[in-house]
Amino acid sequence: MLDEDELQALADDIRDLGQLQPIVLDSSGRILDGRNRLRACELAEVEPEYITYSGTNPSAYTLSVNLRRRSLSKGQAAMIAAKACSVAEHDPRSETERSARSVSEQAGVSLGRIGQANTVLRYTPQLVDSVIAGAVGIDEAYQTAREKKAQADSAEAQLAKLRDEDPALADRVIEGELTLQGAWAERKARIEEDIRQRRVATQLLCEVLPSLAQARGSRTFALYDPEFAPPGRAVTREVIEHAATALAEMASVWKERNLP
């Protein structure tokens, strides 16, 4: 909106010369263009004149009108054009075609600036209005957007990697149960626990099996005396049967893994 002095000047002009441009409404009666004119008409006590917009993209129309009327920097103009393209939901043209047309129609904004604005629009939408208002320059906003884009690309790559390594964890991230950082922390914990279990199992087998193998063909078995067995570790027939089953299972696993 104009400030009070500017509004009063517009009201005086309308009182003297009449309302030269009508206020544009959408089909629901909302103002698309002309809020200042409406307020100035009220100040001048002049009955406002209205027309109804007949196009299909009222949001794009509003931004385009503002772009042509205001004195804007190239960055502001590019941001408005990019935003106008983004809200043209019913426009059948491709994004590239709409952007190119916006460039040609909107005061000679370069394709490079439009590209920067589109990046800001996608990755830092909270800066769009600040750029349009002139509070933040397009170059500064674009640099921030590039950093966000790099983070987003990295996150997508990490999620793709997680999906390859642990689809269940990736699904939990997608469903919002876990953050990507939390999922990788859980993945790391699982890997560390797996390594610990493999280390313990390997040490156990390396302690038991070589000694048993060395006893083969010796008098060790014949010399076994239950009286000297440690408490709870006596070798019974049941224990021998379980050991034989374990050895058979071990041999099968070694063959399956093609271990020497």
Side-chain angles (χ1 to χ4, degrees):
M1 295 292 292
L2 299 175
D3 61 32
E4 291 184 7
D5 291 339
E6 291 171 324
L7 276 172
Q8 188 59 56
L10 180 58
D12 294 340
D13 186 71
I14 289 175
R15 185 184 299 108
D16 295 339
L17 302 176
Q19 182 184 340
L20 301 180
Q21 292 182 319
I23 298 163
V24 183
L25 307 177
D26 67 6
S27 58
S28 300
R30 294 175 299 183
I31 297 175
L32 297 182
D33 179 47
R35 289 188 302 158
N36 288 305
R37 267 166 277 154
L38 177 60
R39 178 60 182 146
C41 285
E42 293 172 349
L43 291 174
E45 298 182 346
V46 171
E47 186 68 24
E49 298 178 9
Y50 301 93
I51 61 172
T52 300
Y53 172 68
S54 59
T56 57
N57 298 315
S59 297
Y61 166 80
T62 302
L63 290 169
S64 179
V65 167
N66 277 277
L67 178 60
R68 286 197 294 265
R69 182 178 298 127
R70 293 180 180 180
S71 176
L72 300 169
S73 69
K74 295 299 183 182
Q76 289 174 293
M79 197 73 258
I80 290 176
K83 186 174 181 179
C85 288
S86 74
V87 299
E89 298 176 355
H90 304 292
D91 196 330
R93 293 166 294 164
S94 69
E95 182 178 343
T96 301
E97 290 172 331
R98 285 187 274 118
S99 296
R101 180 170 181 176
S102 294
V103 171
S104 65
E105 290 179 350
Q106 314 301 340
V109 178
S110 70
L111 287 172
R113 284 299 190 192
I114 289 291
Q116 289 180 330
N118 281 328
T119 300
V120 172
L121 189 67
R122 180 174 181 183
Y123 294 99
T124 52
Q126 71 276 10
L127 294 179
V128 170
D129 290 339
S130 296
V131 173
I132 291 175
V136 176
I138 187 70
D139 292 326
E140 179 184 351
Y142 176 62
Q143 183 59 39
T144 302
R146 285 188 62 187
E147 294 171 359
K148 292 290 185 181
K149 180 179 183 300
Q151 293 174 5
D153 291 344
S154 176
E156 289 178 4
Q158 290 182 35
L159 182 59
K161 182 180 179 182
L162 182 64
R163 186 177 290 110
D164 289 338
E165 295 185 11
D166 197 323
L169 275 179
D171 288 341
R172 291 176 64 189
V173 172
I174 294 171
E175 292 168 3
E177 287 185 37
L178 281 174
T179 63
L180 187 58
Q181 183 179 4
W184 275 113
E186 186 169 330
R187 173 68 178 162
K188 180 181 178 181
R190 290 181 182 181
I191 292 174
E192 291 176 348
E193 175 60 17
D194 178 67
I195 292 174
R196 188 193 67 79
Q197 291 183 6
R198 286 189 286 121
R199 181 179 290 112
V200 170
T202 300
Q203 291 175 350
L204 175 64
L205 293 175
C206 288
E207 289 174 2
V208 174
L209 269 296
S211 299
L212 182 61
Q214 290 176 1
R216 186 187 63 169
S218 68
R219 297 183 65 244
T220 301
F221 303 138
L223 294 174
Y224 172 76
D225 189 333
E227 292 185 6
F228 300 116
R233 301 189 64 182
V235 179
T236 64
R237 294 180 185 180
E238 183 180 10
V239 171
I240 294 172
E241 289 175 0
H242 288 328
T245 301
L247 286 171
E249 292 174 354
M250 184 175 178
S252 176
V253 170
W254 253 241
K255 181 178 180 181
E256 180 180 329
R257 296 176 57 192
N258 195 30
L259 294 174

